Amino acid sequence: MGLSSRLECKRAMLVDTQTQFPTHSFQAENMLAALEKVRMELGPEAIIVSTRKVASGPAWQVWKKPVVEVVAMGTGTPAPSQQSVPVETSPAIVPSPPEPLVETQPIPVEEIDTTVEQAIDIAEKAVSKELETTRSKNPYRMLGDSNSPLSSVKQRLLEQGVDGDLVESLARVCLRNFSQQALTDPLRVNEYIQQQLAVKIRSLSPQAVAASQVVSLVGPSGAGKTNTTAKLLAYYQQESKKELHWLSADTIRAGAIAQARVYSETLEIPLQLAYGPSEAADICKEAKGGLTLVDTPGFTPTRESSVIRIGDMLSALPQQITLLVVSATEKEQDVMAAISVLRPFNLKAMIVTKMDATDHFGSIFNAAWRSHLPLAFLTSGPDVIDDLRPADPREFVGTLFGIRAS
């Protein structure tokens, strides 16, 4: 039997059934509520004739709230107290409905004679499916899904110590800019977050550093200033035509002078010693036209005497810039304290040492981001030659994701 023949049979059966049992209309805010009304009034075996959305309220009301209308008929003679108001006095004719708010969706022919119990089951499954679809399309669900690429990136950055508010902000930017499919791609999510982090920090080029006549390396004890001074001189031996000078003002620490002499002899760069600010200033003036790197004593930003001593030295040096030398293992609070103290002394950038001594770089990232202080160089290991490289924000951000420069 073809579809048209089956349709005619269905319609004939419906008209015949309606002749025996009148149709009733039920309205509610949603499909499930309307079907429950049908079941309560006509019983679980009631037949669903049609369903659609219609406008509720009086005809004069401009803003009409949409409701669901279900037309159904019982399979037996219900009690008068249980009967709802018939929609039509003539049982063989389906009445004209109220003006629909949205276009009516016809019920498939195969579902015309669905019972209310079956309809409720279908409606409940449809609601569950719609809820699941809505959840899957909600991008902010990715923030709570521990298995999603974005959640994995967030967890990684938080474990690194990157500022939590910043991480959350970047995650939400990613959600706004990415499609659902893109959010499932770990490579794209990682690349995007790394790009966003990289633009949060700045760098100072080696050329900008060398444009000054005097560069003072300042930092806490144990940061590696003497070793870094040697590495910088080795770097500029290859990259600059300027005459290079090494001035060591770190004459108090035991072994400091001996260490500096070994490096200077290896590099064949004369080492000069200064035991006070005025002597250091005179040496720098004599070296006019070249590039003088000043290795200063270690200082503690929380000790007033230490701050005064380093301040006197930096104030005496002509045309100097200051580079803060900090270990990658340094705490964020200590780095920020040093930056605050050194700001008045022409602090230009930061050199991060001992990059091989830790796997966590969130503190340094936070300090560079909060202070807007550029990174100048990154260094790791004890080797003087080829162990220092200009800072690249993308490379440094890569360390937060476990990516090491080759």
Side-chain angles (χ1 to χ4, degrees):
M1 182 182 294
L3 177 62
S4 58
S5 299
R6 288 190 290 118
L7 178 59
E8 290 300 325
C9 289
K10 290 283 187 179
R11 287 175 177 169
M13 292 172 61
L14 177 61
V15 171
D16 182 63
T17 304
Q18 286 180 314
T19 303
Q20 302 178 43
F21 305 107
T23 56
H24 302 261
S25 175
F26 300 86
Q27 294 185 357
E29 292 184 356
N30 55 64
M31 179 65 72
L32 282 174
L35 291 173
E36 284 292 343
K37 284 186 176 182
V38 174
R39 182 164 59 178
M40 293 294 295
E41 292 288 336
L42 303 181
E45 298 300 322
I47 303 298
I48 305 302
V49 176
S50 66
T51 63
R52 62 179 174 181
K53 286 185 178 180
V54 298
S56 66
W60 51 263
Q61 194 173 40
V62 178
W63 301 107
K64 299 181 181 181
K65 185 178 180 180
V67 296
V68 173
E69 180 190 66
V70 175
V71 177
M73 58 186 175
T75 57
T77 303
S81 60
Q82 294 178 329
Q83 292 183 11
S84 59
V85 178
V87 177
E88 174 61 42
T89 57
S90 174
I93 302 175
V94 177
S96 299
E99 178 185 356
L101 183 65
V102 295
E103 185 176 345
T104 300
Q105 298 295 329
I107 288 196
V109 174
E110 292 79 1
E111 297 182 11
I112 287 179
D113 57 354
T114 301
T115 67
V116 66
E117 287 288 351
Q118 293 170 330
I120 289 176
D121 183 58
I122 293 171
E124 287 176 343
K125 290 179 179 179
V127 170
S128 297
K129 184 176 180 180
E130 185 177 353
L131 286 174
E132 182 61 30
T133 301
T134 302
R135 291 190 189 101
S136 66
K137 289 182 178 180
N138 180 10
Y140 291 96
R141 181 182 65 88
M142 293 291 184
L143 288 176
D145 185 357
S146 59
N147 295 321
S148 72
L150 185 56
S151 291
S152 297
V153 170
K154 281 185 58 180
Q155 185 63 30
R156 170 83 191 188
L157 293 176
L158 293 175
E159 290 174 354
Q160 283 284 317
V162 178
D163 180 81
D165 290 339
L166 176 61
V167 172
E168 186 69 24
S169 173
L170 293 178
R172 293 189 177 275
V173 170
C174 184
L175 288 172
R176 288 198 300 268
N177 294 337
F178 270 39
S179 66
Q180 288 295 308
Q181 183 177 1
L183 285 171
T184 63
D185 187 340
L187 292 179
R188 291 188 63 181
V189 171
N190 277 20
E191 177 67 18
Y192 181 80
I193 296 297
Q194 287 185 47
Q195 289 176 354
Q196 295 300 309
L197 287 170
V199 300
K200 300 293 183 183
I201 57 178
R202 303 159 53 202
S203 62
L204 185 68
S205 70
Q207 294 77 19
V209 173
S212 302
Q213 293 186 15
V214 179
V215 177
S216 300
L217 276 64
V218 182
S221 298
K225 293 184 299 299
T226 301
N227 185 270
T228 301
T229 302
K231 291 180 180 183
L232 281 173
L233 289 169
Y235 176 85
Y236 282 116
Q237 272 186 328
Q238 300 177 6
E239 302 295 333
S240 175
K241 295 182 179 180
K242 277 190 171 185
E243 183 179 358
L244 302 175
H245 307 274
W246 185 337
L247 172 59
S248 176
D250 186 10
T251 56
I252 301 176
R253 179 173 59 91
I257 296 176
Q259 182 186 17
R261 288 194 187 281
V262 171
Y263 284 138
S264 69
E265 291 173 0
T266 302
L267 297 172
E268 298 181 350
I269 296 176
L271 174 66
Q272 294 179 287
L273 304 177
Y275 292 89
S278 59
E279 189 174 1
D282 292 339
I283 294 174
C284 290
K285 291 176 183 178
E286 293 175 1
K288 182 182 292 188
L291 175 61
T292 301
L293 298 186
V294 182
D295 179 15
T296 64
F299 91 107
T300 304
T302 56
R303 290 179 56 188
E304 183 178 359
S305 59
S306 180
V307 172
I308 292 175
R309 183 169 61 249
I310 197 67
D312 289 343
M313 175 66 68
L314 297 176
S315 300
L317 300 178
Q319 298 180 334
Q320 74 91 36
I321 66 170
T322 300
L323 299 182
L324 173 61
V325 180
V326 294
S327 167
T329 61
E330 201 75 45
K331 295 179 181 178
E332 177 186 349
Q333 296 89 335
D334 294 336
V335 177
M336 293 300 294
I339 291 173
S340 177
V341 167
L342 296 174
R343 286 284 192 194
F345 304 107
N346 205 16
L347 179 63
K348 291 296 184 183
M350 180 164 39
I351 298 176
V352 183
T353 65
K354 302 182 181 180
M355 293 285 291
D356 57 334
T358 183
D359 290 324
H360 295 79
F361 302 92
S363 293
I364 300 299
F365 175 88
N366 290 342
W369 165 58
R370 295 185 197 279
S371 67
H372 304 289
L373 184 67
L375 300 178
F377 293 93
L378 305 176
T379 177
S380 57
D383 295 338
V384 172
I385 307 299
D386 299 327
D387 197 18
L388 175 140
R389 56 196 180 279
D392 179 355
R394 286 298 303 273
E395 176 195 335
F396 183 76
V397 167
T399 62
L400 298 172
F401 292 81
I403 303 171
R404 297 281 188 166
S406 55

